[in-house]
Amino acid sequence: MHCPSIFREERLDVLHGLIATHPLATLITAGSEGLMANLIPFTLHSGGEHGILRAHLARGNKQLNALREAAEALVVFQGPECYVTPSWYPSKSEHGKVVPTWNYAVVQVRGKPLVIDDAAWVQAQIAQLTTNLENGRDHPWKVSDAPDDFIAAQLKGIVGVEIPVLSIEGKWKVSQNRLALDRQGVINGLRAERACPEMLELMERD
């Protein structure tokens, strides 16, 4: 990914934090049937230098063939994003040399995928994913809330995937390349329009 050094994010805890809060990622593979991409929710686990990703796919998903063939898969986690209007920049009134842009945070992960056709493994991954997503709800749903025979039938239709993370890159494009007044102008604009609160929080924090 094109990532000027000013936008590069290398803190592993920050990168993992985005994955945890935005688990629905684009899984990209290149196999004998060409490029394929699917939106897949992932869970992140400890292990290795950078962590391990786990997920499950429908047994009928053709990307499973590519995952079995693949020497490498690319997983893209998209964090908060927002359009930035030049009208938010104080420098606009000074010289007018401003253009629109987009602020965003993204994490790209690469690793060699392993297809796991094991119902117990898949059930554990689904249970972890559900726990992560239901956490904080007044009445969190658990896999065990559904009848055992129903869950067993569902498991027959899905297959697990594990991707040990070989490399991880983060890009936090949050107006670092602008003057401090212009960056504050973006923060003020987001706050005034109540737009993208997650991006506003990210900019105020960093």
Side-chain angles (χ1 to χ4, degrees), residues 18-19 21-26 39 75-82 102-108 171 198-199:
L18 185 141
I19 291 173
T21 55
H22 297 84
L24 185 67
T26 304
L39 282 171
V75 189
V76 181
F77 295 88
Q78 176 67 61
E81 50 80 19
C82 72
W102 215 278
N103 277 1
Y104 57 87
V106 64
V107 171
Q108 291 191 358
K171 183 175 182 179
E198 198 175 0
M199 175 57 69

Side-chain angles (χ1 to χ4, degrees), residues 71-75 109-113 163-167:
E72 187 177 57
L74 172 65
V75 189
V109 170
R110 287 176 169 80
K112 181 174 175 56
I163 305 176
V165 179
L166 296 180
S167 69

Side-chain angles (χ1 to χ4, degrees), residues 33-193:
E33 298 180 60
L35 284 169
M36 288 190 182
N38 280 289
L39 282 171
I40 305 291
F42 283 85
T43 51
L44 177 64
H45 304 261
S46 60
E49 185 178 355
H50 305 298
I52 298 170
L53 294 177
R54 291 174 181 156
H56 61 274
L57 281 72
R59 191 173 292 277
N61 191 326
K62 292 183 179 180
Q63 195 170 26
L64 283 171
N65 294 331
L67 288 165
R68 290 187 176 97
E69 298 172 358
E72 187 177 57
L74 172 65
V75 189
V76 181
F77 295 88
Q78 176 67 61
E81 50 80 19
C82 72
Y83 170 75
V84 176
T85 171
S87 300
W88 288 342
Y89 296 147
S91 61
K92 173 180 178 290
S93 60
E94 296 178 17
H95 49 67
K97 298 178 181 178
V98 292
V99 293
T101 190
W102 215 278
N103 277 1
Y104 57 87
V106 64
V107 171
Q108 291 191 358
V109 170
R110 287 176 169 80
K112 181 174 175 56
L114 174 66
V115 175
I116 301 175
D117 196 353
D118 180 278
W121 187 100
V122 174
Q123 185 166 3
Q125 192 274 329
I126 291 173
Q128 183 62 62
L129 179 64
T130 302
T131 298
N132 294 350
L133 298 175
E134 292 284 334
N135 185 40
R137 293 182 178 274
D138 291 338
H139 304 286
W141 184 87
K142 304 182 296 297
V143 174
S144 58
D145 289 345
D148 290 343
D149 57 345
F150 172 77
I151 294 300
Q154 295 295 306
L155 289 171
K156 291 178 181 179
I158 52 182
V159 180
V161 175
E162 181 171 275
I163 305 176
V165 179
L166 296 180
S167 69
I168 183 168
E169 295 180 277
K171 183 175 182 179
W172 261 238
K173 185 178 179 294
V174 289
S175 300
Q176 304 99 312
N177 58 331
R178 301 298 309 182
L179 296 172
L181 281 176
D182 283 350
R183 193 168 191 271
Q184 186 60 49
V186 176
I187 291 173
N188 294 342
L190 289 170
R191 187 181 295 125
E193 295 189 6

